[in-house]
Amino acid sequence: MFLIEPAYAQAAPAGAEMGFMSFLPMIVIFVLFWFLMIRPQQKRMKEMKAMIDALQKGDEVVTNGGVLGKVAKAGDQFLTLEIADGVEIVVQRSAVSQRLEKGTIKNNK
C-alpha cells in the first residue's frame, strides 16, 4: 500500500531521433545574429582603431564630447588639440570620435 507507484523505463518519444533538427532554429538565429549584429560592429571597431592610430599633427578632429580641434601634438596615448588660437587641451586618443577634412574648422568659424 504505497502512495508512490514504481517508475518504469519508457521508450523514447518518436521525435527524439531528430535532435539536430530541434537545434536547427537556434543555430539559424545565431548565424543571423552574427551577420547582422556582431560582424558589422567588429568591422566598425577595426576601422575606428585604424583611424585613431593614423592621427597625426595637423589633422582636424571631433572628440566624443563634441569639441572641435586641430591636432597640435600626437603622442602614443594622448593628443594635444588646439581648439582656438593659443588654447590647447590634452585628450586621450580614444576620445576622438571622428576625423574631419582639412579646412572644416576654418569654414565653420
Side-chain angles (χ1 to χ4, degrees):
M1 184 147 115
F2 294 108
L3 297 175
I4 300 174
E5 295 189 24
Y8 297 104
Q10 297 179 355
E17 294 95 26
M18 301 187 65
F20 176 74
M21 294 304 285
S22 65
F23 285 112
L24 189 61
M26 288 183 6
I27 293 170
V28 170
I29 289 171
F30 178 75
V31 169
L32 286 173
F33 185 74
W34 173 262
F35 280 105
L36 295 176
M37 300 282 287
I38 297 172
R39 190 167 171 255
Q41 180 65 26
Q42 287 178 340
K43 184 178 177 184
R44 277 192 297 272
M45 286 176 57
K46 190 181 286 186
E47 290 171 354
M48 183 66 119
K49 184 176 179 348
M51 183 270 301
I52 288 173
D53 290 342
L55 288 175
Q56 56 189 354
K57 183 177 178 177
D59 288 341
E60 296 178 2
V61 296
V62 178
T63 66
N64 291 332
V67 177
L68 294 167
K70 185 182 238 181
V71 177
K73 296 177 192 169
D76 289 338
Q77 293 183 358
F78 297 97
L79 299 172
T80 301
L81 299 181
E82 183 177 0
I83 57 175
D85 293 332
V87 180
E88 294 183 346
I89 60 171
V90 178
V91 298
Q92 290 182 329
R93 280 185 175 261
S94 61
V96 174
S97 65
Q98 186 178 5
R99 184 173 173 245
L100 302 173
E101 294 181 22
K102 301 270 185 190
T104 302
I105 295 175
K106 189 176 273 188
N107 293 338
N108 288 329
K109 285 186 179 181

